Amino acid sequence: MNVEEEVERLKEEIKRLGKLQDDGSYKVTFGVLFNDDRCANIFEALVGTLRAAKKRKVLTYDGELLLQGVHDNVEILLKPTPTATSAEAVTKS
């Protein structure tokens, strides 16, 4: 699995484990992701995948490096996917 595939899988898992927000984003804590059995089986390096997704501006969280235990309550916010209408508006402008 390459980095792009891992980021896509991470988005799916955040949607599965997180809570949908009013703006269409999803919020989950690092501890929930880290301690989930399914995530543990999918991601060999969850922290690395999170950093790659943050670099691609797919999600946000405070800090650079997340560590189990210390950062379990850090919220990870998966940004909302643009709708077709808003994407078309950007393209036309």
Side-chain angles (χ1 to χ4, degrees):
M1 193 169 9
N2 66 33
V3 176
E4 296 301 326
E5 290 172 335
E6 284 203 17
V7 169
E8 286 303 313
R9 293 288 296 272
L10 179 60
K11 288 166 57 176
E12 292 171 15
E13 294 306 309
I14 291 173
K15 287 179 181 178
R16 179 177 67 86
L17 295 169
K19 293 194 181 351
L20 179 62
Q21 306 299 300
D22 291 338
D23 64 356
S25 65
Y26 285 83
K27 192 181 289 187
V28 67
T29 62
F30 176 66
V32 169
L33 268 180
F34 192 89
N35 293 311
D36 182 71
D37 288 338
R38 187 163 150 186
C39 285
N41 289 328
I42 294 171
F43 304 107
E44 289 183 32
L46 177 60
V47 173
T49 305
L50 284 166
R51 290 184 71 189
K54 185 176 183 180
K55 183 178 176 182
R56 287 164 175 75
K57 301 185 185 320
V58 171
L59 52 80
T60 61
Y61 55 85
D62 291 336
E64 285 297 314
L65 181 65
L66 298 175
L67 301 172
Q68 181 191 15
V70 178
H71 298 114
D72 282 356
N73 293 324
V74 171
E75 291 183 336
I76 298 167
L77 184 73
L78 176 63
K79 295 179 179 179
T81 306
T83 60
T85 308
S86 63
E88 290 171 6
V90 171
T91 306
K92 290 179 182 176
S93 55

